[in-house]
Amino acid sequence: MPETVTFARQPTIVLRFENGEFERVATDPNHRIRWIAWRRDGRSALAVGNEGLILHFDGEAFDRIGSPTRENLRCASYNPANQALIVGNRGTMLQLKNGEITTIGVDAEANLRRVSWSPDGSLALVVGNSGSALAWQAGNVQELTGAFSNLRSITWHPEGRHALVSGNYFGMSMVPCPTLYEYRRGSNQLNPLKTTEKTDLIGVEWKPDGEYALAVGYEVVWQEPRVFRWTKNELETIHVPEPGLYPSLVAWDPTGDRALIGTGSPLPPGQGEGVILEYRKGKVRRLDSSPYRIACIAWHPMEDFAVIVGQANARTFTT
């Protein structure tokens, strides 16, 4: 088991996880990175973060790219043509194409949290706060109805015909809401699949072969971790051996042999750690921990390593 990594305190850290070991990647201490997205060919990645931060990442070093916004950017996603969409606060949506970044005008005013291209790159889903959901195709934006709570993650089935979207249990005015939805191509809405009682589903990702999806989150009253396997239209509970953790994202390695689960904390900075868990062969175990809450895990699409973003001040409801 690898030793716990120790850090000099700064707002963000980036780690490379390979062969069971964690190695720190040098970052500018002023850069508050929130997300890293690899190109489909793995040649480089895009990192985005607070105050409009956009960085090129070659796997070893970060270089800043000019940004047209000062809004906090939360997520990025590449299609097979190596065009990227970037989303962020107050309805911010950007496109990176042929080396140029342009702003996409959308009506949504809510904070947009996640974006994900379909496997063939023909359509991108965008989700955010207060049930905001958009389908972006060939330059056209369609608003999707059906959700009311904050939506947290997106995962396309490998066949590309449908996607899962996860969300918070409580919506506006503390009204209970579905926490797992399905989007099907051509639809104008998100269809509710399941409601996990008093449990936020913060992360969800299909296994690369499409056999099942893993969904992670926590019970918001008793503050207990939850990991589920979505298969045959049911959520099967997977035992988490440690209490008091707050799973907030899940990422499968490209082979489907294992998934990494990152945890955060709803508590103020300095209270609660970030833990990296491994899911393998139906079981969850701890790999490592640090004072940083885990904000992103991005597996390289062609090689057996992942880059992991940790944030000192992130809380589970702000990622």
Side-chain angles (χ1 to χ4, degrees), residues 193-221:
L193 296 175
K194 288 291 177 180
T195 300
T196 48
E197 184 73 16
K198 296 183 177 64
T199 297
D200 290 346
L201 290 187
I202 306 177
V204 62
E205 185 160 310
W206 281 104
K207 190 179 178 189
D209 63 6
E211 180 186 359
Y212 60 88
L214 283 182
V216 304
Y218 64 93
E219 205 272 355
V220 297
V221 177

Side-chain angles (χ1 to χ4, degrees), residues 287-305:
L287 289 183
D288 214 338
S289 63
S290 83
Y292 289 81
R293 287 91 184 265
I294 309 305
C296 175
I297 300 172
W299 284 96
H300 191 281
M302 303 295 180
E303 300 180 35
D304 189 22
F305 74 89

Side-chain angles (χ1 to χ4, degrees), residues 71-319:
E71 293 291 346
N72 290 348
L73 302 176
R74 293 171 173 258
C75 187
S77 178
Y78 273 103
N79 67 11
N82 295 318
Q83 300 169 6
L85 289 181
I86 302 167
V87 298
N89 286 1
R90 299 185 183 181
T92 301
M93 190 167 169
L94 309 175
Q95 181 183 27
L96 171 63
K97 184 177 180 180
N98 299 326
E100 296 186 2
I101 298 177
T102 56
T103 300
I104 298 172
V106 297
D107 292 334
E109 296 181 357
N111 293 344
L112 302 177
R113 291 177 178 264
R114 296 291 181 264
V115 56
S116 179
W117 282 98
S118 60
D120 65 1
S122 64
L123 186 149
L125 282 184
V126 177
V127 300
N129 287 356
S130 304
S132 295
L134 306 169
W136 193 84
Q137 187 171 24
N140 298 313
V141 178
Q142 180 185 28
E143 184 175 350
L144 306 176
T145 61
F148 301 96
S149 65
N150 292 348
L151 301 177
R152 308 300 300 272
S153 66
I154 309 163
T155 180
W156 284 91
H157 189 275
E159 293 179 353
R161 293 193 296 269
H162 57 94
L164 296 176
V165 174
S166 72
N168 288 0
Y169 175 72
F170 288 116
M172 297 180 63
S173 303
M174 299 299 287
V175 174
C177 294
T179 51
L180 190 66
Y181 300 84
E182 181 183 60
Y183 170 77
R184 287 195 170 270
R185 281 179 175 271
S187 175
N188 61 1
Q189 64 181 9
L190 300 180
N191 297 312
L193 296 175
K194 288 291 177 180
T195 300
T196 48
E197 184 73 16
K198 296 183 177 64
T199 297
D200 290 346
L201 290 187
I202 306 177
V204 62
E205 185 160 310
W206 281 104
K207 190 179 178 189
D209 63 6
E211 180 186 359
Y212 60 88
L214 283 182
V216 304
Y218 64 93
E219 205 272 355
V220 297
V221 177
W222 298 104
Q223 308 282 288
E224 289 300 326
R226 296 289 185 263
V227 176
F228 300 99
R229 186 168 71 168
W230 173 253
T231 179
K232 298 179 181 178
N233 293 321
E234 293 294 336
L235 285 171
E236 299 177 358
T237 300
I238 296 170
H239 176 64
V240 181
E242 293 186 56
L245 299 181
Y246 300 91
S248 56
L249 69 153
V250 57
W252 282 96
D253 80 1
T255 69
D257 179 59
R258 59 182 169 173
L260 296 184
I261 298 170
T263 80
S265 175
L267 303 175
Q271 302 179 36
E273 62 182 359
V275 175
I276 300 171
L277 305 170
E278 180 188 64
Y279 170 85
R280 197 172 201 168
K281 296 181 179 179
K283 295 183 178 180
V284 175
R285 71 182 184 105
R286 175 188 285 239
L287 289 183
D288 214 338
S289 63
S290 83
Y292 289 81
R293 287 91 184 265
I294 309 305
C296 175
I297 300 172
W299 284 96
H300 191 281
M302 303 295 180
E303 300 180 35
D304 189 22
F305 74 89
V307 287
I308 300 170
V309 178
Q311 291 188 325
N313 300 322
R315 300 168 80 172
T316 51
F317 50 83
T318 64
T319 52

